[in-house]
Amino acid sequence: MSVETRIQDVLLLFGELHNAPYAPAAFATSFGAEDMVLTDLIAKHAPWMEIFTLDTGRLPEETYRLMQETRGHYRLPIQVYFPEHGTVERYVREHGPNAFYESQELRKTCCHMRKVEPLRRALRGKGAWVTGMRREQALSRQDLAVREWDAAHEMPKFNPLADWHGEEVWDYIRRFEVPYNRLHDQGYPSIGCAPCTRAVSPGGQDIRAGRWWWENPDTRECGLHVVDGKVIRAKSATPQKTPGQI
C-alpha cells in the first residue's frame, strides 16, 4: 500500500474524530517515530486536535530536545502532564530511585504513578484518544485494532497507524522531513524512560525488546493500554460503557 493511501486513511479517521461523539479527541505522544508521523499529520490537517505528552521525569535528554524542537517546528501547543510529586517522593523514599529493577510489582508501581495516573488526568473530559501504537511493535500488540474501546478509561481509542509497517513510518519521516528522536539512529526502535530503555541488536528482535528488557516479553507494557494485566483488545469504538461490535 502506498504512503499516499495510508495518509488518506488516517485523514478519513481524523474526519470522524472532529465530530460528535468523539470530539474533543486528544492525541497522546511520547515522541517516538510513529508519534512524530501523527504529529505531522495533525499539524497539517487537524490542528484542532489536542496533543499531550506525559513527562515522567525520567525521560532521555534526546526526548526533551525533540519535544522542544517539535514545539518550534510545528508551532502547536503541547500539553504536558507530570506525575504527582508527593507520590513520587514517597516511592523514592520507601524503595529508592531505581527500585523498578528489583521486581515487576515495583516496576508497575513506578509506571502507574509516572504514566497511568497522569494519563487519567489528561483524558478527563475527552471524547476519544489517539495513539501511535502499531501491531508490529510487540508480541502483546499483535491483535491491535484501528478502533478500540478502552475499558480502563471508558472511552474510544484510535490507533491510526495500527497496520502500518516500520518501513512506511520511516518512508513518511524521510519524505516529509519530519523531526525525530536521534536515539533511533543509535539502535533504539522504541524509547521510553531512560533507565528502562536500551538499544537492541538490528534484526530478529522484538521492536520493544529494549523496553523493560529484564522482564518477560509478554508482559512488557507500562499499564497505559492494560486492564487487569491484559492489553485492552475490545474492537468497538462506539461511545458506550460496554464494548460491542462495529
Side-chain angles (χ1 to χ4, degrees):
M1 188 178 296
S2 68
V3 171
E4 289 75 16
T5 301
R6 293 292 200 190
I7 292 172
Q8 288 305 310
D9 288 343
V10 174
L11 298 187
L12 286 173
L13 195 62
F14 284 176
E16 293 181 42
L17 295 172
H18 194 24
N19 303 301
Y22 304 122
F27 167 51
T29 178
S30 60
F31 298 95
E34 294 82 4
D35 294 333
M36 294 311 300
V37 168
L38 287 173
T39 297
D40 190 77
L41 287 168
I42 289 170
K44 293 174 178 175
H45 305 283
W48 44 265
M49 190 181 302
E50 178 183 310
I51 300 176
F52 72 86
T53 192
L54 309 177
D55 185 345
T56 65
R58 301 297 300 268
L59 300 178
E61 175 59 28
E62 290 83 354
T63 301
Y64 289 117
R65 291 176 188 169
L66 179 58
M67 189 185 304
Q68 191 71 27
E69 182 182 1
T70 301
R71 293 175 64 92
H73 185 84
Y74 292 109
R75 302 294 179 184
L76 285 175
I78 299 175
Q79 304 298 322
V80 183
Y81 291 84
F82 298 88
E84 295 288 351
H85 71 273
T87 305
V88 176
E89 287 177 357
R90 284 192 296 273
Y91 179 93
V92 174
R93 185 166 54 246
E94 294 175 12
H95 307 291
N98 291 338
F100 38 80
Y101 292 131
E102 297 177 8
S103 72
Q104 188 178 85
E105 180 182 2
L106 287 173
R107 195 274 291 173
K108 288 185 175 181
T109 299
C110 187
C111 285
H112 188 277
M113 70 181 181
R114 294 184 186 275
K115 295 182 178 182
V116 178
E117 191 282 326
L119 176 66
R120 287 175 179 167
R121 284 186 277 120
L123 293 178
R124 195 171 297 150
K126 302 299 187 298
W129 68 303
V130 179
T131 85
M133 292 169 62
R134 294 189 301 111
R135 293 176 194 141
E136 284 186 344
Q137 289 173 328
L139 293 172
S140 58
R141 297 181 179 182
Q142 290 180 342
D143 298 324
L144 185 71
V146 173
R147 297 169 173 82
E148 298 186 317
W149 177 259
D150 187 327
H153 302 94
E154 296 189 322
M155 69 191 317
K157 181 171 72 173
F158 292 83
N159 312 300
L161 308 186
D163 58 353
W164 281 45
H165 299 294
E167 296 83 359
E168 293 172 318
V169 170
W170 285 101
D171 183 21
Y172 185 101
I173 288 173
R174 288 188 292 268
R175 183 179 302 191
F176 297 104
E177 299 181 341
V178 176
Y180 66 90
N181 196 318
R182 296 301 167 178
L183 285 176
H184 289 308
D185 295 333
Q186 301 175 36
Y188 289 74
S190 178
I191 304 166
C193 291
C196 300
T197 307
R198 68 178 182 180
V200 301
S201 302
Q205 279 193 298
D206 189 295
I207 292 174
R208 285 167 64 85
R211 304 287 295 277
W212 311 294
W213 63 90
W214 62 91
E215 293 185 6
N216 187 307
D218 294 333
T219 61
R220 288 178 188 166
E221 292 285 349
C222 61
L224 296 181
H225 313 285
V226 174
V227 172
D228 295 332
K230 297 181 180 181
V231 179
I232 301 165
R233 283 292 167 267
K235 295 185 179 179
S236 171
T238 52
Q240 55 191 24
K241 296 301 181 183
T242 56
Q245 294 298 316
I246 294 176

